[in-house]
Amino acid sequence: HPNHPVVINTWAFVNSSIGAWNVLEKGGSSLDAIEIGGGVCESQQCDGTVGYGGSPDEDGETTLDALLMNGKTMKVGAVGSLRRVKNAISVARHVLEYTKHSILVGDLATKFAVQMGFKEESLTTQQSKNIWMKWRNENNCQPNFWMDVIPDAKQFCGPYQPKERSHQKSNTIKGDRFNHDTIGLVAIDKNGDIAAGTTTNGAKYKIPGRIGDSPIPGSGAYADNEVGGAAATGDGDVMLRFVPSFLAVEEMRRGATPTEAATIAIKRIAKYYPNYMGAVVALRKDGEYGAACHGLGDKPFPFVVRDTSMDKSKMVFIECP
Ligand code: SD4
């Protein structure tokens, strides 16, 4: 097909697009392209929302969620709440290639990764420690006598109380896009094979054990060679209830354009959760692409595309209602 290969990804993560395109251009598979492209963001810690050292949970730990789907075989590999391993999307690839399962989680996903040869190391950095300590101080220090007397009284805060779950408030702030910048990618290779995937460190200050939409097939991403693929980003707790990537692919199957399909998926969620923040990118098997978004305040949603008509990866901005 003259329009192949092509790759799209969420947000302004151009380096991931370049990484994926380098694979596709040489005739590599769409699955490899997604793994490599997502891996670029994991090692570059895109916006602090992908890979190690970002989005600490309530206990200050960074954990990773990732998904890969092969639209030719309909196989899936995913990891949720992966601990102490940096290359989450590659671990997902190993689940896809070397097991009959689809999703592995938590410490046991780590055990699998280590058995497969991945390195076990802390995902905490000085930066993630600082983010967490600031949040903890801001949210868990009760005003007390000392505050009036000593300007720096926060150091006298009592023991940290996880019960307060104050992240639940911050997650619903409209337009708080820096709490949610997962990379999701969809690619078609020279053979016309379609793949999709995601990788993220999830929502900041999450309750340990929480996973969002990103590692859930059909929610974070979906691909089917017969139709195309889609990927989502945003308030995962809400979005996964609507399986938006699957919905976008099914809408393209019945004849919607990629933009229409993404819009339908985004609007379905807004009907129930008007204040949620999210976006869906969609790619049809003929190389046509589109996206839709919701709740980014007055900011547009950026996504990145590279296809045969372009000499470099291009950023596209769309307005969100
Ligand atoms: C999550 N969906 O864990 C992810 C975060 C995200 O864009 O997409 N951000 O909820």
Side-chain angles (χ1 to χ4, degrees):
H1 196 287
N3 295 338
H4 299 161
V6 46
V7 59
I8 59 171
N9 65 264
T10 58
W11 303 108
F13 303 141
V14 175
N15 290 344
S16 282
S17 177
I18 295 170
W21 183 260
N22 288 341
V23 173
L24 295 169
E25 200 182 21
K26 292 191 199 101
S29 74
S30 50
L31 206 57
D32 284 346
I34 304 283
E35 182 187 349
I36 298 288
V40 168
C41 249
E42 287 173 350
S43 51
Q44 298 187 352
Q45 304 170 282
C46 286
D47 268 4
T49 60
V50 183
Y52 68 102
S55 307
D57 66 16
E58 277 191 349
D59 295 340
E61 181 177 354
T62 295
T63 57
L64 305 178
D65 299 338
L67 165 70
L68 265 178
M69 180 160 183
N70 182 338
K72 184 184 185 182
T73 60
M74 303 308 279
K75 274 189 175 176
V76 161
V79 286
S81 274
L82 176 70
R83 307 177 76 183
R84 302 180 305 278
V85 178
K86 284 183 178 173
N87 326 89
I89 200 163
S90 291
V91 180
R93 179 72 184 266
H94 280 68
V95 174
L96 188 154
E97 299 291 351
Y98 303 117
T99 80
K100 61 182 167 51
H101 306 309
S102 294
I103 311 180
L104 298 180
V105 299
D107 265 331
L108 298 169
T110 310
K111 188 175 163 195
F112 167 79
V114 170
Q115 286 168 347
M116 286 283 161
F118 288 84
K119 186 175 167 197
E120 190 172 348
E121 58 195 317
S122 171
L123 304 185
T124 299
T125 59
Q126 193 54 49
Q127 197 195 358
S128 67
K129 239 183 243 172
N130 291 345
I131 297 168
W132 176 70
M133 278 160 53
K134 184 163 179 278
W135 167 78
R136 205 181 68 148
N137 286 339
E138 279 168 2
N139 288 281
N140 296 286
C141 297
Q142 304 302 320
N144 62 30
F145 164 76
W146 295 104
M147 289 232 175
D148 295 326
V149 185
I150 306 169
D152 206 14
K154 284 196 172 177
Q155 61 184 291
F156 291 102
C157 284
Y160 170 58
Q161 293 164 3
K163 295 196 262 340
E164 293 182 13
R165 304 292 190 208
S166 42
H167 67 284
Q168 286 168 357
K169 275 176 268 157
S170 69
N171 269 3
T172 55
I173 294 169
K174 202 176 172 213
D176 181 13
R177 98 170 176 85
F178 292 103
N179 199 8
H180 297 277
D181 284 23
T182 301
I183 185 160
L185 309 101
V186 188
I188 310 179
D189 60 31
K190 283 185 178 167
N191 293 331
D193 290 329
I194 306 174
T198 59
T199 179
T200 185
N201 51 32
K204 268 188 208 151
Y205 322 127
K206 60 179 100 54
I207 297 174
R210 175 266 189 198
I211 61 168
D213 58 325
S214 302
I216 305 298
S219 287
Y222 197 74
D224 181 343
N225 264 13
E226 282 184 5
V227 179
T233 175
D235 294 331
D237 296 286
V238 163
M239 291 179 80
L240 68 77
R241 300 168 192 173
F242 299 87
V243 206
S245 296
F246 178 74
L247 178 56
V249 169
E250 293 311 299
E251 287 298 322
M252 290 193 285
R253 194 191 303 276
R254 65 149 197 91
T257 65
T259 303
E260 288 165 353
T263 305
I264 289 166
I266 282 292
K267 283 204 173 139
R268 177 78 56 84
I269 307 167
K271 199 166 128 190
Y272 297 88
Y273 297 96
N275 295 327
Y276 90 107
M277 190 228 68
V280 170
V281 296
L283 176 62
R284 202 168 57 193
K285 68 174 181 182
D286 62 358
E288 181 87 15
Y289 57 85
C293 56
H294 182 87
L296 273 72
D298 47 13
K299 292 190 220 100
F301 168 70
F303 66 101
V304 186
V305 195
R306 181 76 192 262
D307 67 18
T308 51
S309 74
M310 303 167 187
D311 57 3
K312 59 180 185 153
S313 294
K314 182 176 91 179
M315 219 157 16
V316 182
F317 291 88
I318 57 164
E319 297 300 323
C320 317

